[in-house]
């Protein structure tokens, strides 16, 4: 016989009540609006199928999902002419292969963007589509044109479905420190960047962080990646409350980090549902990941930082006006994302987000959250302002206890 407090029936009702609160909060506070992602032709899917059947001068092509090291060795063994032929024939594949030289990926993705733009241009004028379908095609066409802008370094691009994309700011090949911005729900190829409220989109977040890092450490070679190369949850729904998409994203994040050139230290900056991705990825990430910082987190699918199983320093912040603090922090039967990372018992290094407003303001210039992100990104830990004001978040970091 079980007590009232621990009865399975009562716990089930508690879980259902908590989840109901989650969805009410999300629906009324604007985590995101419900909408369906609509994409164009399955360009990359078709290209992958053709790649799997093809070869180059009598040699079979490696599986597109091969480990970065294997892909690096394969491309290193090709001539310049062979590499160029594969880029021209399979830009939607080569541009997304972790382990391929950066210059080839940038070139392939520029070509892929041009081909995807041509498809969307045709769809804009396709009378068989609904008005909404043609409007979506128009938005996608203009986004692809923007991503093709002079000097842009597109590290990954997949136009299928809602689309995935990643962009580099700085010289990734020579960087001493690399920061990866992992965004949250409703991230897709269209809203990868925004003209208004630009610092709420991955491109604006990454550009803001890159500028702050350059200002904080002008002599340090830094690079920042706006990484929207995973499928995020769409709107308010079950995908946002469970970990399936986070698990899929975590594998992609791990592959990205393992394929980064050189031996630079890596810092992850994970916003909202992106912190769920980073939490799931943490145990498998390589040791070059020195810091994992989460902002506006609904949880990392663990009850404490120790359970992340990582040697990286774990940081957390939340603005006092961020509505996500009202979400029940629990995990029951796979629903929910675990404990609140900013609570003392979680064990993260909690730093100040002063100046940030709401759930999407952490990368705004002039905020302490952005300044602290930059300090973490360049390894200038003594400059980080802790949430409690007493320096506890810098404890145990060599040379960082002062101030």
């Amino acid at each position: 016989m079980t007590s009232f407090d621990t009865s399975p029936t009562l716990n089930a009702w508690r879980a259902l009540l908590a989840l109901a609160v989650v969805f009410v909060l999300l629906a009324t506070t604007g985590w995101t609006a419900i909408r369906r992602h609509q994409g164009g032709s399955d360009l990359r899917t078709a290209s992958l199928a053709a790649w799997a059947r093809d070869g180059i001068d009598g040699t079979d092509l490696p599986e597109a999902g091969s480990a970065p090291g294997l892909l690096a060795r394969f491309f290193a063994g090709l001539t310049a002419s062979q590499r160029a032929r594969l880029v021209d024939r399979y830009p939607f594949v080569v541009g997304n292969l972790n382990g391929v030289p950066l210059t080839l990926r940038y070139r392939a993705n520029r070509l892929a963007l041009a081909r995807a733009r041509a498809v969307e241009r045709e769809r804009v004028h396709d009378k068989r589509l609904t008005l909404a379908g043609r409007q979506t095609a128009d938005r996608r066409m203009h986004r692809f044109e923007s991503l093709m802008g002079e000097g842009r370094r597109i590290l990954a691009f997949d136009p299928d479905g809602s689309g995935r994309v990643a962009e580099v700011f700085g010289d990734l090949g020579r960087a001493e420190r690399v920061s990866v911005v992992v965004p949250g729900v409703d991230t897709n190829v269209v809203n990868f960047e925004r003209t208004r409220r630009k610092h709420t989109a991955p491109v604006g977040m990454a550009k803001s962080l890159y500028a702050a890092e350059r200002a904080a450490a002008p002599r340090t070679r830094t690079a920042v990646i706006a990484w929207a190369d995973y499928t995020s949850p769409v709107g308010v729904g079950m995908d946002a409350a469970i970990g399936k998409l986070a698990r899929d994203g975590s594998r992609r994040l791990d592959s990205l980090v393992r394929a980064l050139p050189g031996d630079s230290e890596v810092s992850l900056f994970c916003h909202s549902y992106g912190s769920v991705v980073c939490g799931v990825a943490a145990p498998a990430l390589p040791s070059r990941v020195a810091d994992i910082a989460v902002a506006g987190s609904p949880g990392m699918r663990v009850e404490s930082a120790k359970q992340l199983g990582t040697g990286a320093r774990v940081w957390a912040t939340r603005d006092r006006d961020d509505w996500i603090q009202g979400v029940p922090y629990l995990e029951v039967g796979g629903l929910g994302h675990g404990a609140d990372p900013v609570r003392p018992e979680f064990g993260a290094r909690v730093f100040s987000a002063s100046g940030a407003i709401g759930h999407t303001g952490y990368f705004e210039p002039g905020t302490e959250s952005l300044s602290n992100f930059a300090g973490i990104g360049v390894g200038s830990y003594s400059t980080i302002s802790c949430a409690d004001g007493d320096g506890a978040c810098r404890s145990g970091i060599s040379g960082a206890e002062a101030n």
Side-chain angles (χ1 to χ4, degrees):
M1 183 172 179
T2 60
S3 70
F4 182 77
D5 284 343
T6 59
S7 70
T9 301
L10 180 59
N11 285 337
W13 276 109
R14 282 175 171 167
L16 289 172
L17 178 61
L19 289 170
V21 173
V22 169
F23 291 121
V24 169
L25 281 168
L26 298 182
T28 58
T29 55
W31 182 337
T32 181
I34 298 175
R35 65 176 183 271
R36 295 186 182 275
H37 288 159
Q38 297 177 354
S41 301
D42 294 332
L43 295 172
R44 185 163 187 266
T45 299
S47 189
L48 283 167
W51 170 279
R53 299 189 298 267
D54 206 356
I56 185 81
D57 295 335
T59 300
D60 290 339
L61 300 179
E63 292 185 10
S66 298
L70 187 152
L71 292 169
R73 289 190 295 273
F74 175 80
F75 274 82
L78 299 177
T79 66
S81 174
Q82 289 172 324
R83 294 190 198 105
R85 283 157 52 195
L86 287 179
V87 167
D88 184 66
R89 194 184 305 170
Y90 297 110
F92 292 101
V93 179
V94 177
N96 294 279
L97 294 179
N98 289 316
V100 170
L102 295 174
T103 53
L104 287 185
R105 292 185 68 173
Y106 296 156
R107 193 190 318 161
N109 284 320
R110 186 172 183 81
L111 183 56
L113 281 161
R115 295 183 183 179
R117 179 186 60 177
V119 170
E120 298 301 336
R121 183 184 291 119
E122 291 185 3
R123 288 167 57 82
V124 168
H125 302 290
D126 190 343
K127 300 302 182 182
R128 295 171 298 178
L129 298 178
T130 64
L131 175 61
R134 295 196 298 274
Q135 290 173 336
T136 296
D138 185 68
R139 287 193 295 270
R140 286 167 61 90
M141 180 184 71
H142 284 97
R143 175 59 62 235
F144 298 161
E145 288 178 350
S146 176
L147 292 172
M148 291 174 64
E150 185 68 28
R152 299 193 73 163
R153 300 179 176 96
I154 305 304
L155 185 65
F157 171 64
D158 178 1
D160 291 1
S162 60
R164 296 195 295 251
V165 62
E167 183 173 8
V168 175
F169 299 91
D171 188 342
L172 185 58
R174 297 180 62 249
E176 299 168 300
R177 309 273 309 197
V178 175
S179 297
V180 182
V181 175
V182 184
V185 299
D186 257 0
T187 299
N188 57 63
V189 72
V190 172
N191 61 29
F192 182 59
E193 58 183 339
R194 293 190 176 102
T195 302
R196 290 179 293 180
R197 300 178 64 243
K198 60 184 179 181
H199 298 116
T200 66
V203 166
M205 293 176 179
K207 290 178 74 172
S208 182
L209 178 58
Y210 181 59
E213 288 184 353
R214 292 287 300 275
R219 297 183 179 180
T220 300
R221 297 193 303 273
T222 64
V224 178
I225 302 172
W227 190 77
D229 192 27
Y230 82 103
T231 301
S232 72
V234 179
V236 179
M238 189 60 70
D239 282 342
I242 62 177
K244 180 183 184 304
L245 293 179
R247 288 192 295 273
D248 295 343
S250 72
R251 289 189 285 270
R252 299 182 68 83
L253 181 60
D254 180 71
S255 181
L256 167 82
V257 173
R258 292 182 183 279
L260 291 175
D263 56 1
S264 54
E265 286 197 350
V266 178
S267 299
L268 306 181
F269 297 92
C270 320
H271 176 245
S272 194
Y273 189 86
S275 65
V276 185
V277 176
C278 291
V280 176
L285 290 171
S287 59
R288 69 187 301 180
V289 177
D291 298 280
I292 301 173
V294 302
S297 175
M300 301 181 75
R301 298 195 72 79
V302 292
E303 295 304 309
S304 70
K306 287 184 178 180
Q307 290 182 1
L308 290 171
T310 177
R313 288 173 285 269
V314 180
W315 304 82
T317 194
R318 187 173 63 218
D319 174 60
R320 66 179 61 185
D321 297 320
D322 191 335
W323 56 263
I324 208 165
Q325 64 191 300
V327 170
Y329 285 90
L330 81 168
E331 189 277 323
V332 178
L335 297 171
H337 301 304
D340 183 352
V342 303
R343 291 188 63 84
E345 53 267 32
F346 186 84
R349 299 172 181 273
V350 183
F351 59 93
S352 172
S354 179
I357 299 175
H359 186 59
T360 58
Y362 295 99
F363 290 84
E364 287 287 340
T367 60
E368 285 194 12
S369 51
L370 178 62
S371 175
N372 287 328
F373 287 158
I376 293 169
V378 300
S380 182
Y381 301 109
S382 64
T383 67
I384 296 170
S385 55
C386 302
D388 54 20
D390 65 2
C393 72
R394 301 189 299 269
S395 176
I397 304 177
S398 178
E401 290 83 356
N403 294 347

